[in-house]
Amino acid sequence: MLAGSQGVTAALDQFQAAAAIARQPQSRIEAQLNQLRLLIDAELKTEFRAELKAKQGSQPVQQLLSTLPAQLPTLPPSRERVYATVNFAASWIQVYSAAPMVIPSTVQQGDIAQLLANAVQVARSLSDTRAEAYALGQLGHLYETVQQGAEAQQLTRQAIGLSEGIDAPDLQATWQWQLGRLLKQEGKRTEAIAAYSHAVDALKSLRQSLSSFNADRQFSYLEKVEPVYRELVALLLAGNADPTQPEQAQLQQTQLQQAQLQQAQLQQARELIEALQLAELDNFFHQACLQATPQSIDTIDATAAVVYPIILPDRLAVIVARPGKPLAHYETLLPKAELEAILTQLRRYLNPHFFETDQRRLSKQVYDWLIRPGQALFAETQTLVFVLDGALRNLPMGALYDGQQYLIERYSIALSPGLQLLDPQPLNKGSLSALTGGLSEAQQGFSALPAVDAEINQIAATLPATMLLNRAFTTQRLEQTLQKTPFSVVHLATHGQFSSQAEETFLVTWDGRVNVQDLDAMLLPRRQAVNQPLALLVLSACQTATGDQRAALGLAGMAIRSGARSTLATLWQVNDDSTAILMKQFYQQLLETPSMTKAEALRAAQLSLLKQPQYQHPFYWSPFVLVGNWL
């Protein structure tokens, strides 16, 4: 589909044309349902409304909501009829929830309930258990929407019972989530947690076969996966006392039992956040391709702490994992919209054209939310490893300011999509060899990077290296060189972009672009050679896509798909000269000090820039981030 309003109106034209020429009622109704769903989605986006009204008339949604109910019962009994009815009901519910005044007076709740009840009967007459569970669950959702909780819960439990008897993890996930919401609404926290947990288990089983599902069984990550995880995390962090338990039973809980329960729930919340990161990366690649192995910080680094910030609708929650100690948890009550507005503004103020006082003020605000409440927890910590969430991923943690100094001045910092994806092997510094490549000349519509020559030559002077510069840095030469020699370091100094869309995550070569899938294919033989791993991938002139709130997902995707144990990259395109200086310092620190980790070497290089007057602003040193193994 085309991007923006042009794509929406073009698709609507196609659906209208398909409905007009359809010879079969089923085909006509399917085209109209597609048109209705697209209209509803677009009407919720204000930038499309004017064009849609000019193109479609004044009330296209109302017209379809009025005419479709009479057509649906005319279809012959079939699964298609059941599914069409359920899909129409879903659209009606979506409109009712967002703009109830748009609902035609001729099609009210009772009419939709009757349509769904008829769909249930059709499914039963066909002995189609899946279709019956689908229709029953949607009828339960209708009652949930109009706040008839008892009826909603009864129907939802029936749908769950049917879906458990067949291979329908997608329905189990949907209706268990619905049951969890209903129980939460009643204040039954323990039962709600159980229902949400069942939904998550069903989603995990779905993950293993994402690519095998038909279109009607595909799950939208943003609509049906992410909310389940986040709502369960919010329940787990909401406290330990369950108001549905008898008061005497609560009084009998010992402090030890409460502490054990709290730790168990914090551990489950932490595992959910890691699993959510994995699910998001699977969605990025459009396939379940990542193999996760549980890891504990205790076995990785005795001087590191892992920080899990979690953005919830009404607060910023943080879980901290430290070696040999219980999980810690603290929160700041803060509406999500307010937090994201500040994060967006801080990202903009990290540009040196803005006043440094504004940048430090906002940076301190985020520090006060994210770090200060748990500051005492990090007394023995040398490295902070962040598993970042949402809009936080677009910000460099090293630039957080406590009022006196930046976070990088106190700790080495690394990022991780989760310890489950970490290969916890330290760097073997005795046998490093590098492939260095890049563009110093303008190419493919991107500007020149004159300091790339010096950057690559400095690396070649530090460790054995093969160079591909400018005209030699073609896609084919890069692929051939990577497959021919088992380099432990690949350093690419070229323009590139990280995006929330895999197809828009790429590196620029002399003759084209290498996207994240291409890089995966190039490095596949390396990942299969267990004895010769790629220890470090450096991408020194890339940036996150402008206006993409989830753009840093592309950085994580590039890091994971490359198979590199560690990836050093930039969140935005940095000054050419300062980048060359930082990279020189990074490699010197890494190779000249045997005990120095990659995170420590990056910190030392960043501090070397921070100490130079012309590069003190965070714009120059903070966007360099280390993803993955920090050892």
Side-chain angles (χ1 to χ4, degrees), residues 595-616:
S595 61
M596 183 167 284
T597 67
K598 285 169 278 192
E600 291 168 341
L602 176 58
R603 174 175 180 259
Q606 289 174 304
L607 291 178
S608 71
L609 282 185
L610 180 58
K611 293 174 183 177
Q612 299 183 40
Q614 69 271 38
Y615 299 133
Q616 283 184 345

Side-chain angles (χ1 to χ4, degrees), residues 413-544:
I413 294 173
L415 307 180
S416 175
L419 296 187
Q420 60 189 346
L421 296 174
L422 185 70
D423 182 358
Q425 302 299 318
L427 183 65
N428 182 1
K429 300 181 182 181
S431 58
L432 292 182
S433 62
L435 168 62
T436 60
L439 299 173
S440 63
E441 300 177 13
Q443 195 67 10
Q444 303 293 324
F446 291 88
S447 61
L449 298 169
V452 164
D453 288 337
E455 180 179 334
I456 288 180
N457 284 313
Q458 288 167 359
I459 297 168
T462 307
L463 70 162
T466 298
M467 289 190 293
L468 299 176
L469 184 62
N470 292 326
R471 293 182 182 275
F473 186 59
T474 64
T475 302
Q476 184 177 18
R477 284 285 301 278
L478 177 61
E479 180 176 12
Q480 292 173 343
T481 309
L482 283 171
Q483 294 182 356
K484 180 180 178 181
T485 307
F487 298 102
S488 48
V489 176
V490 174
H491 183 112
L492 303 178
T494 180
H495 288 286
Q497 176 177 274
F498 304 120
S499 166
S500 60
Q501 304 297 319
E503 56 272 16
E504 295 298 325
T505 296
F506 61 85
L507 305 173
V508 178
T509 61
W510 182 264
D511 59 344
R513 296 181 178 184
V514 175
N515 67 32
V516 66
Q517 307 289 7
D518 298 329
L519 187 67
D520 170 44
M522 289 181 182
L523 292 170
L524 179 61
R526 296 297 314 282
R527 294 201 302 278
Q528 295 173 338
V530 179
N531 296 327
Q532 296 176 317
L534 176 57
L536 177 63
L537 172 66
V538 181
L539 307 170
S540 73
C542 298
Q543 61 184 353
T544 50

Side-chain angles (χ1 to χ4, degrees), residues 156 328 356 411:
T156 303
E356 188 173 1
Y411 307 100

